[in-house]
Amino acid sequence: MSLFRTKSVEQSIADTDEPEFRLKKSLSALDLTVFGVGVVIGAGIFTLTGRAAHDVAGPAIVLSFVVAAIACALAAMCYAEFASTVPVSGSAYTFSYASLGELSAWIIGWDLILEMFLGASVVAQGWSAYLGAFLGQLGIVLPPELSYGGVVDIPAVLLVLVLGGLMTLGIKESLRVNLVLVAVKLFIVLFVIIAGLMFVNPANYQPFIPASEPTEAASGLTQPLLQFLSGLEPATFGVGGILAGAALVFFAYIGFDVVAATAEETKKPQRDMPIGIIASLVICTILYCAVALVVTGMVSYRDLDPAAALANAFVYHGQGWMATVISAGAVAGLTTVVLTLLIGATRIIFAMSRDGLLPQRLAKVHPRFRTPWVISIVVTVIVAVVAGVTPVGVLEEMVNIGTLSAFVLVSIGVIVLRRTRPDLKRGFRVPWSPVLPIVSALVCTYLMLNLSVETWLRFLIWLALGFAIYFAYSRRHARLGTGDFLDPSKPRVVGPPRR
């Protein structure tokens, strides 16, 4: 039964008062919203929209974004309820520990480590690619062996090292830089939308929902698991294309859950956490839909370039200078994504180390900066190495399956905690529970089934490695089992005041 032991909400909150593990509370609702927008809006807004419109949905890709946003909103509400109830670092890991038990919490924490380590590495490489394109348009050519796709991707390594150093200095300092970069990114995105409106031709919206067409089926390990299990023949466009497009563009929204990882550093988490999570999702949805309308109105969906649709839509209309602007926006945008994922990874590992599931000495907080500096250094070094020398490529889907599995368990956890601890104060409550959390879990499971068989096999190997570590180390060292906890019912030694 120790596999299903839960850590009480009171104990989780009491841990945040231990002087050696105490983080600095400095974040507001605005900080959290900027944090969320910073990680969600990345290269996807420049590339994914056109690819999905060209390949599967046509102009109806706008509806795909709406469907995906609804699916994300369901998961976002579950995260908002948990984050306002358990304002502790760790995001889905901490929430699962309080509701589903230690083994589920370990699985989710292990999945989130995969998501954020690999996600930060992949995005850092994407940043390097856009930087190379941007510098190339300015007449500066980087050595191919030491740039994107080379032997060592030096720009990606330098980006991670700089952002890792910034993250170690402090969460507030990190988010000040994030705020500036998000402002630049939003300005460029809005500028592109407004400029693109001048080239919109309403005829390109006809037909808005193209007729369904059969498409060549993937085979072997590359086919979606749902196709492998059901034997269904895939099709594009039509209503099915809208749903397929939603499964594709859903991953453009991934990242808002990282906001929940900073709950412990938020001044008023019961109020600010729900605002930050939901506001960032709403802002991103509006921008995604606007970009989708503009790009499919500028160029017929059949003529869109799937690789760089937005930039090439302006080239199509003789506005090549806009490609430079878009590359600059992508460089700024991806910088914020890498920074946010690095911060999220450190907070997940911090929570797991503080609980004893990983070595506890990792969770020591710097006496001056009040950040988990040891973990920050470890995360920075690992991500820099992976980004610099590893051809990630097909491993990108691993980010998605790790995130979706967390969404499923958080949705289930909301229902469980409502039943086991109805007395807890909740700053936000998911409406129509348990119906909406159940729908959220089902939708996320469906999206997971649309990932390839190959991705599922890799995911199972990662889980097997996680189980081995848990039973060899984590289960015996967990503070919940050793009793090495602050007792929330007893007087505590008061540390230095929070600043």
Side-chain angles (χ1 to χ4, degrees):
M1 293 302 294
S2 63
L3 299 179
F4 304 102
R5 58 193 177 193
T6 58
K7 182 180 178 183
S8 71
V9 173
E10 290 82 3
Q11 185 64 70
S12 294
I13 295 174
D15 286 348
T16 67
D17 279 330
E18 294 187 73
E20 62 181 333
F21 300 131
R22 180 182 297 170
L23 299 176
K24 183 178 179 181
K25 287 184 176 289
S26 58
L27 304 183
S28 65
L30 176 61
D31 292 323
L32 297 174
T33 302
V34 171
F35 194 61
V37 172
V39 70
V40 173
I41 297 183
I45 200 168
F46 303 107
T47 58
L48 188 59
T49 303
R51 178 154 59 94
H54 179 272
D55 293 343
V56 297
I61 189 62
V62 176
L63 300 180
S64 298
F65 273 114
V66 173
V67 172
I70 292 172
C72 283
L74 295 173
M77 286 190 289
C78 295
Y79 269 88
E81 176 168 329
F82 257 128
S84 67
T85 308
V86 193
V88 178
S89 283
S91 186
Y93 158 77
T94 299
F95 307 155
S96 297
Y97 214 160
S99 56
L100 300 176
E102 186 172 281
L103 183 59
S104 295
W106 168 261
I107 293 171
I108 285 302
W110 190 242
D111 289 350
L112 290 175
I113 290 173
L114 171 71
E115 170 200 347
M116 294 181 191
F117 268 63
L118 190 57
S121 301
V122 171
V123 177
Q125 290 186 332
W127 179 90
S128 177
Y130 272 102
L131 178 67
F134 175 64
L135 293 177
Q137 288 156 3
L138 299 179
I140 302 173
V141 180
L142 298 175
E145 311 85 32
L146 302 177
S147 55
Y148 178 75
V151 179
V152 180
D153 193 338
I154 295 296
V157 172
L158 292 177
L159 173 71
V160 174
L161 293 178
V162 170
L163 295 181
L166 178 64
M167 171 182 67
T168 306
L169 291 177
I171 185 73
K172 190 67 176 180
E173 291 73 15
S174 299
L175 291 188
R176 285 181 184 142
V177 174
N178 197 50
L179 176 60
V180 174
L181 293 174
V182 169
V184 171
K185 174 166 56 176
L186 292 180
F187 171 79
I188 292 176
V189 169
L190 291 172
F191 179 72
V192 168
I193 291 171
I194 294 170
L197 288 174
M198 296 185 294
F199 303 103
V200 168
N201 180 0
N204 289 328
Y205 294 127
Q206 303 298 327
F208 189 74
I209 304 179
S212 179
E213 300 175 3
T215 186
E216 183 179 349
S219 59
L221 297 179
T222 61
Q223 65 182 314
L225 182 62
L226 185 62
Q227 178 184 317
F228 173 77
L229 296 175
S230 65
L232 295 174
E233 292 298 323
T236 56
F237 305 112
V239 175
I242 294 174
L243 296 177
L248 182 61
V249 303
F250 177 87
F251 305 121
Y253 288 98
I254 284 178
F256 70 84
D257 56 309
V258 182
V259 176
T262 62
E264 194 171 324
E265 294 158 279
T266 304
K267 295 177 182 176
K268 299 178 180 178
Q270 283 77 16
R271 184 199 69 178
D272 294 344
M273 265 291 150
I275 293 174
I277 292 173
I278 296 174
S280 59
L281 184 60
V282 170
I283 292 170
C284 295
T285 300
I286 293 172
L287 292 175
Y288 280 149
C289 289
V291 168
L293 281 172
V294 167
V295 74
T296 54
M298 291 177 67
V299 181
S300 169
Y301 71 93
R302 294 193 181 278
D303 296 327
L304 282 173
D305 181 354
L310 196 54
N312 284 295
F314 284 94
V315 173
Y316 182 86
H317 288 280
Q319 306 296 318
W321 64 275
M322 286 299 297
T324 304
V325 175
I326 292 170
S327 296
V331 169
L334 293 181
T335 302
T336 67
V337 177
V338 176
L339 176 59
T340 309
L341 289 172
L342 288 173
I343 293 173
T346 61
R347 274 39 179 187
I348 297 295
I349 298 174
F350 171 76
M352 297 176 74
S353 299
R354 184 169 59 186
D355 288 336
L357 297 180
L358 292 173
Q360 218 173 337
R361 57 183 175 273
L362 293 176
K364 302 298 182 183
V365 173
H366 194 280
R368 177 183 172 189
F369 303 131
R370 307 310 300 172
T371 59
W373 65 279
V374 177
I375 295 174
S376 297
I377 292 173
V378 171
V379 169
T380 299
V381 170
I382 292 176
V383 172
V385 170
V386 174
V389 303
T390 306
V392 180
V394 296
L395 295 180
E396 293 178 12
E397 279 196 2
M398 294 294 290
V399 179
N400 304 329
I401 197 167
T403 304
L404 286 167
S405 62
F407 285 7
V408 171
L409 287 185
V410 167
S411 300
I412 296 171
V414 164
I415 301 171
V416 173
L417 199 62
R418 282 274 192 103
R419 292 184 177 277
T420 57
R421 294 298 306 274
D423 57 303
L424 290 174
K425 180 182 178 181
R426 291 167 168 83
F428 176 84
R429 299 175 69 91
V430 179
W432 302 307
S433 182
V435 175
L436 287 189
I438 291 173
V439 172
S440 174
L442 292 175
V443 169
C444 293
T445 300
Y446 170 77
L447 292 172
M448 289 177 70
L449 292 175
N450 279 275
L451 297 174
S452 68
V453 175
E454 189 176 38
T455 298
W456 275 91
L457 291 176
R458 291 195 182 103
F459 183 58
L460 292 176
I461 293 171
W462 178 257
L463 285 180
L465 178 61
F467 279 124
I469 294 174
Y470 175 76
F471 286 106
Y473 176 88
S474 305
R475 186 182 179 192
R476 292 185 292 108
H477 291 82
R479 295 175 76 187
L480 199 59
T482 62
D484 181 25
F485 271 115
L486 274 176
D487 186 346
S489 66
K490 295 179 180 179
R492 297 194 295 272
V493 176
V494 179
R498 297 179 190 266
R499 294 196 176 108

